[in-house]
C-alpha cells in the first residue's frame, strides 16, 4: 500500500473508529504536449504523476473527512463551495446514471498540489468514483467513470473542462503516457519509461495566477471557432497547413498553432514509441514557441523557465496548461534537475519575479484499488 493510501486508512480509523472496507487512490496529471487542442477536437498527451489523492471508504452515514482540510462534512446534494463538492458531484453523477448509492463514508488524504495545474480536482473525483465502483460492485468501465467525473466537474462544480484530466487520472498506466483523441474519446497508452532512461519531469509552478486568463482563454476559443467557420470545417482538427493562406490576422496565427500542435502530438507519440527522447524534447520546445508566438498565451516567467531549461541541457521544455501564468514543464536528465531549479530561482529573484515552486515527477499508474 502506498504511503498516501495508508494516510487515508489512518484518517478513516481516527474519524470513524472502525476499519475501512477498501482504499483507492488516483493521481494528478501533467500534459506533456498538445495544448489548446482539446476544444478543437484534437489530440493531447498527458501522463499521470506520482502524486495522488487516496480515499478509504466503508458503509456508513454519508460523512466525508479530508485529512488535508481537517474537516468532516456531510455529503450534500447541492454545491457548497468547498472540497466536498468534488465527491458530492461524483456521487450525484453516479446516481444520475441510475445506480443506487446506499449510505457510505470516506476519508481522503492527498499530496497532489492544489491549484498548480496538476489536476488535484480530477484526482479526488477519480478516487471517489473508483471507490464507489469498488465498494458497491457497480462494474462501471474506467472510461465511463471518467465521463462521470467530468460531468461532476462541469455540471456540479461548474468548471468547464475537457476530458483530459479525468481520462489521465483513471486510464494511465505506470511508465506510459496516454494519447487521447478529444473528438472520438479514444485513448491509447504510449511508452514513457523515463526512469529507465535516467530522465525526470520537472514542473515549475510560476505562482502567477491564471485568473486573468479566463477572458484570454475565451478569446482564443472564439478565434478558433471563427477560423474553422471561415475554412468550412467542423473544428480546426480538420484543417491543414495549406488552409492557413485562406485566413489572416489573429485567426491565422491561432489556427497555425492548433494545426501544428496536433501534428506535433502525433510526432511526439512516434518519438516515444522509438524511445527517441531527444526528438520528443525538440517537439516540446517547438510547442512552446508556437504557444508563445502564435497563440500568445505565455508569460515572461514561463519563457524564462523554458530558456533556462534549454541552457541547462534539458531535452525539452514548454509551458503546460492553458498558459497566462500557471506552470511550465521540462524533460531533463535527473542529475541536471537540481541545477535547473537553482538557475531558475536565481534568475527569478534577480528579475523580481515571485519565487516559483518545483516538483519532480515520474509517470505513474492511474486510479487503483489498493491491495
Ligand atoms: P487543480 O485541479 O489544478 O489542482 P482545482 O481548483 O481545480 O485545482 O482543484 C483543487 C480543489 O480540489 C481543492 O481546492 C479541493 O477543493 C479539491 N481537492 C484536491 N485535493 C484534495 C484533497 N486531498 N482533499 C480534499 N480536497 C481536495
Ligand atoms: Mg482542476
Amino acid at each position: 500500500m502506498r504511503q498516501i493510501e495508508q494516510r487515508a486508512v489512518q484518517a478513516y480509523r481516527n474519524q470513524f473508529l472502525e476499519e475501512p472496507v477498501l482504499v483507492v487512490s488516483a493521481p494528478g496529471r501533467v500534459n506533456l504536449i498538445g495544448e489548446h487542442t482539446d476544444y478543437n477536437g484534437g489530440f493531447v498527451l498527458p501522463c499521470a504523476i506520482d502524486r495522488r489523492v487516496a480515499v478509504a471508504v466503508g458503509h456508513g452515514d454519508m460523512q466525508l473527512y479530508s485529512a488535508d482540510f481537517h474537516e468532516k462534512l456531510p455529503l450534500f446534494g447541492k454545491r457548497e463551495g468547498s472540497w466536498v463538492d468534488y465527491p458530492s458531484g461524483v456521487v450525484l453523477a453516479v446516481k444520475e446514471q441510475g445506480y443506487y448509492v446506499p449510505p457510505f463514508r470516506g476519508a481522503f488524504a492527498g499530496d497532489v498540489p492544489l491549484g498548480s495545474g496538476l489536476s488535484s480536482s480530477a484526482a479526488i473525483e477519480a478516487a471517489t468514483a473508483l471507490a464507489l465502483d469498488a465498494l458497491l460492485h457497480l462494474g462501471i468501465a474506467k472510461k465511463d467513470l471518467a465521463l462521470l467525473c467530468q460531468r461532476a466537474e462541469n455540471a456540479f462544480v461548474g468548471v468547464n473542462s475537457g476530458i483530459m484530466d479525468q481520462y489521465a487520472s483513471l486510464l494511465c498506466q505506470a511508465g506510459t503516457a496516454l494519447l487521447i483523441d478529444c473528438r472520438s474519446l479514444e485513448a491509447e497508452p504510449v511508452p514513457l519509461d523515463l526512469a529507465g532512461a535516467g530522465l525526470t519531469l520537472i514542473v515549475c509552478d510560476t505562482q502567477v495566477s491564471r485568473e486573468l486568463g479566463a477572458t484570454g482563454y475565451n478569446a482564443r476559443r472564439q478565434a478558433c471557432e471563427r477560423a474553422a467557420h471561415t475554412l468550412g470545417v467542423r473544428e480546426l482538427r480538420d484543417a491543414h497547413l495549406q488552409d492557413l493562406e485562406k485566413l489572416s490576422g489573429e485567426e491565422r496565427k491561432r489556427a497555425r498553432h492548433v494545426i501544428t500542435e496536433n501534428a506535433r502530438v502525433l510526432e511526439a507519440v512516434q518519438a516515444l514509441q522509438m524511445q527517441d527522447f531527444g526528438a520528443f524534447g525538440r517537439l516540446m520546445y517547438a510547442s512552446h514557441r508556437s504557444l508563445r508566438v502564435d497563440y500568445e498565451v505565455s508569460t515572461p516567467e514561463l519563457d524564462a523557465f523554458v530558456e533556462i531549461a534549454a541552457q541547462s541541457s534539458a531535452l525539452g521544455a514548454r509551458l503546460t496548461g492553458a498558459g497566462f501564468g500557471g506552470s511550465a514543464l521540462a524533460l531533463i536528465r535527473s542529475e541536471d534537475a537540481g541545477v535547473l531549479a537553482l538557475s531558475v530561482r536565481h534568475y527569478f529573484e534577480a528579475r523580481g519575479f515571485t519565487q516559483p515552486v518545483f516538483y519532480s515527477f515520474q509517470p505513474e499508474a492511474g486510479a487503483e484499488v489498493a491491495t
Side-chain angles (χ1 to χ4, degrees), residues 86 118-122 153 159 165:
Y86 297 88
L118 299 165
S119 211
S120 67
S121 59
E153 179 129 2
V159 176
D165 304 350

Side-chain angles (χ1 to χ4, degrees), residues 53 66 68-69 83 86 109-110 113-121 124 153:
V53 174
S66 163
D68 305 298
F69 287 82
W83 62 271
Y86 297 88
L114 309 186
S116 279
L118 299 165
S119 211
S120 67
S121 59
I124 186 172
E153 179 129 2

Side-chain angles (χ1 to χ4, degrees), residues 57 67 76 98 140 185 231 267 319 334 340:
V57 290
F76 293 102
I140 306 175
L185 298 186
L231 295 177
E267 278 181 60
L319 71 85
S334 303
L340 168 61

Side-chain angles (χ1 to χ4, degrees), residues 79-223:
R79 202 171 164 268
E80 277 297 302
S82 84
W83 62 271
V84 84
D85 288 347
Y86 297 88
S88 293
V90 171
V91 172
L92 205 69
V94 170
K95 285 181 176 170
E96 275 169 9
Q97 286 299 298
Y99 295 101
Y100 171 62
V101 180
F104 73 100
R105 55 195 182 191
F108 292 90
D111 61 5
V112 186
L114 309 186
S116 279
L118 299 165
S119 211
S120 67
S121 59
I124 186 172
E125 290 156 8
T128 306
L130 187 62
L132 278 181
D133 180 74
L135 182 70
L136 307 176
H137 308 286
L138 302 179
I140 306 175
K142 280 189 172 161
K143 267 190 184 179
D144 294 324
L145 290 178
L147 291 166
L148 287 175
C149 291
Q150 188 199 12
R151 195 161 323 123
E153 179 129 2
N154 293 171
F156 194 78
V157 180
V159 176
N160 188 15
S161 53
I163 193 63
M164 169 168 70
D165 304 350
Q166 291 80 13
Y167 254 40
S169 188
L170 277 148
L171 299 176
C172 279
Q173 300 161 18
T176 67
L178 190 71
L179 171 65
I180 305 170
D181 179 332
C182 296
R183 176 180 284 173
S184 70
L185 298 186
E186 268 159 37
E188 59 176 271
V190 180
L192 184 69
D193 179 13
L194 295 185
L199 297 172
T200 187
L201 293 167
I202 298 293
V203 166
C204 169
D205 181 348
T206 63
Q207 305 279 310
V208 177
S209 161
R210 290 163 293 157
E211 269 161 44
L212 291 173
T215 44
Y217 177 81
N218 290 333
R220 298 300 181 284
R221 283 188 80 136
Q222 285 159 10

